[in-house]
Amino acid sequence: MTIVTGKAEARRRVQPGRSGALRRIWQHRADYAYVLPAIAVMLIVIAYPIYYTVELSFFKTPPGLQLRDKTFIGLDNYTTILTSQVFWKVTWNTLIWTLGSTFISFVLGFATALALHRDFIGRGVLRAVLIIPWVISAVAASYIWKWIYHSDFGIIGAVLVGLGLADQPPNFIDNVSTVLPSLIVVNIWREFPFAMIMMMAGLQTVPDQLLRAAKVDGANAWQRFWHVTFPHLRNVSVVTMLLLAVANFNSFIIPWIMTGGGPSNASHIWITHIYELAFGRQRWGVASAYSVLLFLTLMTLGYFYVRALSGNERKEGSA
Amino acid sequence: MTRIALGSAVLRGTVATALIASLTSTSALGAPPVDLSKWSPEYVRSIAGTQDFDTAADCAKVTPLDYKGRLTFWYQGVFEGDPDLLRQYYKDFFETFRKTYPNIQLEEQALTYNDLLDKFRTALLGNAAPMAVRLQILGGTEFASKGYLQPLKPEDVGYSTEDFWPGAMKAVTWEGVTYGIPTNNETMAFIWNADIFKRAGLDPNKPPATWDDVVKYSKQIHDKLGIAGYGLVARKNAGNTPYRFMPQLWAYGGGVFDEATPNPTYEQVQLDSPQSKAALQASYDMYVRDKSVPVSALTNQQADNQPLFVAGQLGMMISHPSDYNVMLDLQKKATGTDKDKAQTVIDNMRYGLIPTGPDGKRAVVFGGSNIHILKPEYVEGGKVDEPAAKAIICMWTSPEWSLKMAYAGSNPGNLNGFKTKWMKERLDNIKFLDVTTSMLPYGIPFPALPQAPEIMNIIIPDMLQNALTGAMTVDQAADDAAKRVRELMGGL
């Protein structure tokens, strides 16, 4: 809320020659003063790192030299990235990781939310239990799953061998074909409760009278879901999926702790590859160029997220 | 317990003469404290406990004990694979330092081997590094060549360059200037479970003589008992991988460059040589062809091999003498029948020399750590308290503490540590120490190049993983690694 004092009003009157935008800023100077500290902090901790990363992406930073000894090479880092085989492999991994994790987490979360929306004994307990994976630290979860999957003495392998279902423990994370799907399973296990909570909140907004009216009109369960429930959840679904996609694109902890991107780069996604390039191999320039590409991708997703949110607001405003 | 053969009476006589010569010479006279040409387990035993050192008095000459200051210090500390005994010595060191220098405000931070380099590099970029740091041996030249470190030699903290292993001094020297002091130096040994050998039809008291034998024994153990034969480690970004693969590479006559020769030039990349490929082929044979090593080798580090070994599920591995203490610690934590099983493994634990290559060449990584002082411009606050930094460096690299901090795992960086009473006590308490001291003369330092961490922590493990997962053939993986090293050395 803006409180306009008499003095401020008087000052506004004595600034006749200002252009429109400047005048509006001057008129709202008190508002700007309130948000100035936050803007200053954001400029230091967000804007400057972004600027510096973009700048660094145009420089060669040989691993044997200090960062200050960098040399300007224009777009060479971007060319290096886009023409390297590893980039396309890592990009493919990132797409599988992001789309697989996002879509399956959402579907599983939505299905669980629908199941928990019904009234039954123990619903509260079940809700609490299902949220546990989401509240567990990702680092702890990664270590636990690493042991569950362990190719020699993991729990899954021991159970399968014990029950006579396999001769040898399955190789989950030491195999180039199975490592990424195995990590996606862990990610889904950790993320689906988030989708569940979002969709449960969304389900609360579906008008009960509409569902009852549809039932009176003879609509079966599927028809009620498809024609009444789902349209009401469209916006929350879009927002949930976008949030999941952004989180997955940026997801570092699970792949890094469980496999470090291996074996043979089979579980490297953009963010882990950037980390290795920067901190393991000290290719700060190339890593920065990668980061700029990642930033642009995430900004695109962010744009759609904001659009989805404003779409919601417009709808609510017109309702 | 397997002991190294004592040698002939003639050798004893020579050793005794060397001992007398060694005892009569002192650092003050400029002669080395230990005669490395006479190095043998017997020689080490003969000099242990022959000299007393007063650490506080020695360090007081470098930094007065009442000196008032502040020191930020990072160090590669103990981790999950280390024995409890070592944890206690680290605790004791910092307590003793605080008592010895009560007016130095010490802010120390321990980091694990695998995390330290990344965190230290990041801190340097933000000019937020600590005033002093203890790094793994691989890190010295990287940071010295980039100009982050201050020149620092043993003489600056009251010791002599001859008090330290020549190979270790190379790792802290860049373009003729010394930038640090070795704290400890290590060579690993070959460990096997005699009971597993016996059950697999092998001679329980005879370790594999060559790496080809390791491949053969590993297969025999796996085929007969259904357990892993050799504890292969091929994890990326983990120090354990090069420490276990490089001895194999060198034994076959290969190398990254010519680092295994007496005077390396590091000019020719040799990772794609037939000898290097033969070493990689041996790992491939064990992992892919025979399936005789842990499947989890690609994500394992040595700390993952230890529980396998104590559970009797692994026949052979390369490690420190401290693994014996680790097994004792693990056995204490076991319950029920697991405790008895672990005891059987401990009773059957044997140490021997690391196998040779086809031509009889034996090699091991000459590892360890160094301690350094940073330049003020890279330190948080822009100031380095040099007297405080030298105080902690003097203490850590003293004969007493360089021995105690390496008590169970490796060897003192300061050669005078071998003469202390704690060395004598250690020889009585730590089993199999003789074997690792016997391996020291076979030690080969990593290439003293700024690019060495990337080569050892990333390119070598990538080469192994590419070959072992089938992503590339053995030839392709070795060629790819050699190409990457050439590109790296060319500044790409």
Side-chain angles (χ1 to χ4, degrees), chain B residues 180-310:
Chain B
I181 303 173
T183 57
N184 61 295
N185 293 107
E186 61 188 27
T187 45
M188 297 191 194
F190 195 83
I191 305 171
W192 77 97
N193 180 328
D195 178 50
I196 289 177
F197 268 43
K198 199 174 166 186
R199 286 190 284 125
L202 297 163
D203 183 343
N205 293 313
K206 202 174 154 198
T210 64
W211 278 101
D212 288 342
D213 287 344
V214 174
V215 177
K216 229 183 291 170
Y217 284 27
S218 186
K219 180 173 167 35
Q220 192 163 331
I221 290 168
H222 179 258
D223 291 351
K224 288 260 171 85
L225 306 175
I227 60 172
Y230 171 64
L232 184 80
V233 172
R235 188 186 165 95
K236 200 168 165 181
N237 284 311
N240 292 157
T241 304
Y243 271 86
R244 277 150 193 82
F245 181 70
M246 294 309 287
Q248 189 178 328
L249 187 71
W250 292 324
Y252 275 95
V256 177
F257 306 96
D258 56 350
E259 68 275 10
T261 59
N263 296 302
T265 57
Y266 310 128
E267 278 168 6
Q268 284 287 320
V269 177
Q270 295 182 8
L271 267 178
D272 49 359
S273 70
Q275 293 87 346
S276 295
K277 286 178 180 175
L280 186 56
Q281 184 68 45
S283 294
Y284 177 89
D285 289 346
M286 287 191 277
Y287 191 83
V288 182
R289 189 193 66 190
D290 302 338
K291 295 182 174 46
S292 67
V293 295
V295 182
S296 53
L298 306 182
T299 39
N300 269 358
Q301 31 188 355
Q302 179 57 18
D304 300 300
N305 276 335
Q306 290 164 345
L308 270 178
F309 191 86
V310 81

Side-chain angles (χ1 to χ4, degrees), chain A residues 60 63-68 146 150-153 171 174 263-265 275-276 279-284, chain B residues 118 121-122 125 142 146 235-236 294-296 298-300 308 378 454 458 465-466 469 471 488 491-492:
Chain A
K60 184 180 176 181
L65 297 175
Q66 277 198 31
L67 202 49
R68 65 183 176 203
K146 201 177 159 187
H150 198 281
S151 310
D152 291 296
F153 43 95
N171 184 351
D174 291 282
S264 199
N265 294 331
Y275 180 85
E276 186 182 290
F279 298 97
R281 300 174 57 192
Q282 300 167 83
R283 306 295 200 283
W284 306 103
Chain B
D118 288 0
R121 284 174 188 143
T122 314
L125 290 175
E142 175 187 329
K146 288 183 179 179
R235 188 186 165 95
K236 200 168 165 181
V295 182
S296 53
L298 306 182
T299 39
N300 269 358
L308 270 178
Y378 304 109
E454 180 172 344
I458 296 177
Q465 292 198 350
N466 284 335
T469 56
L488 179 65
L492 292 175

Side-chain angles (χ1 to χ4, degrees), chain A residues 208-223:
Chain A
D208 205 33
Q209 57 269 43
L210 272 182
L211 288 166
R212 281 204 298 269
K215 200 172 181 181
V216 168
D217 289 342
N220 61 27
W222 169 250
Q223 286 168 328

